[in-house]
């Protein structure tokens, strides 16, 4: 994982496959994730030309993309954000920094928890629709799953706005993250406790996390 992370410093884009390579290279970090996230990171998604897909194949491809997307967000929230929360709790008590712990977390990770929740709800809606479609097919009908209604429902409720909010915070996120990474107290905590997650977690925070925050 160390070689990969060091090479990632020179890359402007970090792909899902690259994340899987990095995580697989360090079993300790893989074991840290919940079982369902581990399965997502191991999942191979074969890219197909969507113009050649049938409607049903396209629906399955959309669901695979949403699953991959959710797994990547979960890496940030369940690993990095959790570590930052614990670190701030330890080094910013009593409050030494200008902002509170919650404000710092909000500035760095924005409304990522809301994005994660929304994505999980959308994926759940797609899965429910596919299950109903499978039941209908078992009954002998020949119909396609009407997944468009899942997107129409969230569009009507303006729930896609979580992405707009996240995007508006991106510049502040990068600024606040860079500021925190310059603080000796945080780096000392990162060096001392980061190795409990994986041997190269310190490098992951400095060079992988900023690129993963672009994904949402």
């Amino acid at each position: 994982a160390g070689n990969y992370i060091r090479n990632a410093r020179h890359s402007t884009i970090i792909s899902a496959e690259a994340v899987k390579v990095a995580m697989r290279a360090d079993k300790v970090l893989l074991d840290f994730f919940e079982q369902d996230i581990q399965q997502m990171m191991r999942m191979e998604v074969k890219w197909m030309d969507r113009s050649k897909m049938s409607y049903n194949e396209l629906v399955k491809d959309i669901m695979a993309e949403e699953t991959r997307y959710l797994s990547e967000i979960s890496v940030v929230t369940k690993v990095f954000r959790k570590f930052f929360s614990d670190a701030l709790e330890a080094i910013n008590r009593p409050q030494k920094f200008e902002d509170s712990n919650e404000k710092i977390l909000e500035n760095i990770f924005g409304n990522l928890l809301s994005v994660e929740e929304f994505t999980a709800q959308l994926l759940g809606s797609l899965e429910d629709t596919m299950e109903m479609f499978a039941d209908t097919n078992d009954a002998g009908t020949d119909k396609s799953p009407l997944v468009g209604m899942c997107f129409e429902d969230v569009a009507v409720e303006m729930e896609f706005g979580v992405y707009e909010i996240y995007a508006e915070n991106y510049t502040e996120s990068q600024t606040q993250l860079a500021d925190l990474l310059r603080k000796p107290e945080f780096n000392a905590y990162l060096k001392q406790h980061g190795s409990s997650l994986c041997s190269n977690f310190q490098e992951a925070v400095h060079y992988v996390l900023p690129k993963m925050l672009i994904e949402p």
Side-chain angles (χ1 to χ4, degrees), residues 61-127:
D61 185 70
I62 291 174
M63 291 181 64
E65 282 295 297
E66 287 298 313
T67 299
R68 175 201 61 81
Y69 176 61
L70 181 59
S71 73
E72 292 189 3
I73 294 177
S74 296
V75 170
V76 179
T77 59
K78 290 181 170 60
V79 179
F80 291 104
R81 191 184 186 282
K82 175 64 167 59
F83 181 86
F84 274 57
S85 178
D86 292 343
L88 289 169
E89 184 70 19
I91 66 177
N92 197 28
R93 181 189 291 181
Q95 184 173 331
K96 295 182 292 184
F97 303 151
E98 181 178 349
D99 292 325
S100 67
N101 295 348
E102 282 303 316
K103 182 61 176 177
I104 294 173
L105 288 173
E106 179 184 348
N107 288 342
I108 295 176
F109 297 98
N111 64 327
L112 195 57
L113 293 175
S114 296
V115 173
E116 181 181 31
E117 180 182 3
F118 167 74
T119 304
Q121 290 175 348
L122 177 60
L123 183 58
S125 179
L126 291 170
E127 290 172 343

Side-chain angles (χ1 to χ4, degrees), residues 83 188-202:
F83 181 86
Y189 184 94
L190 176 60
K191 183 176 181 179
Q192 180 179 356
H193 298 278
S195 59
S196 65
L197 299 182
C198 77
S199 58
N200 297 288
F201 190 74
Q202 187 172 358

Side-chain angles (χ1 to χ4, degrees), residues 46-186:
K46 296 181 179 179
W47 180 256
M48 298 174 60
D49 184 354
R50 289 185 171 180
S51 65
K52 299 177 182 178
M53 289 181 178
S54 67
Y55 181 86
N56 291 348
E57 288 173 337
L58 184 58
V59 171
K60 291 177 181 178
D61 185 70
I62 291 174
M63 291 181 64
E65 282 295 297
E66 287 298 313
T67 299
R68 175 201 61 81
Y69 176 61
L70 181 59
S71 73
E72 292 189 3
I73 294 177
S74 296
V75 170
V76 179
T77 59
K78 290 181 170 60
V79 179
F80 291 104
R81 191 184 186 282
K82 175 64 167 59
F83 181 86
F84 274 57
S85 178
D86 292 343
L88 289 169
E89 184 70 19
I91 66 177
N92 197 28
R93 181 189 291 181
Q95 184 173 331
K96 295 182 292 184
F97 303 151
E98 181 178 349
D99 292 325
S100 67
N101 295 348
E102 282 303 316
K103 182 61 176 177
I104 294 173
L105 288 173
E106 179 184 348
N107 288 342
I108 295 176
F109 297 98
N111 64 327
L112 195 57
L113 293 175
S114 296
V115 173
E116 181 181 31
E117 180 182 3
F118 167 74
T119 304
Q121 290 175 348
L122 177 60
L123 183 58
S125 179
L126 291 170
E127 290 172 343
D128 289 343
T129 300
M130 290 299 291
E131 286 181 7
M132 289 189 290
F133 165 68
D135 293 340
T136 303
N137 264 9
D138 290 342
T141 61
D142 185 20
K143 295 182 179 180
S144 295
L146 302 178
V147 298
M149 296 179 60
C150 301
F151 294 93
E152 182 179 350
D153 289 343
V154 296
V156 169
E157 297 297 328
M158 302 292 288
E159 293 182 38
F160 283 115
V162 294
Y163 296 114
E164 181 179 357
I165 295 172
Y166 183 86
E168 290 174 348
N169 184 68
Y170 176 70
T171 300
E172 176 63 29
S173 169
Q174 296 295 303
T175 300
Q176 182 76 72
L177 177 60
D179 181 61
L180 185 60
L181 293 179
R182 285 193 293 267
K183 294 187 182 298
E185 304 96 325
F186 181 81

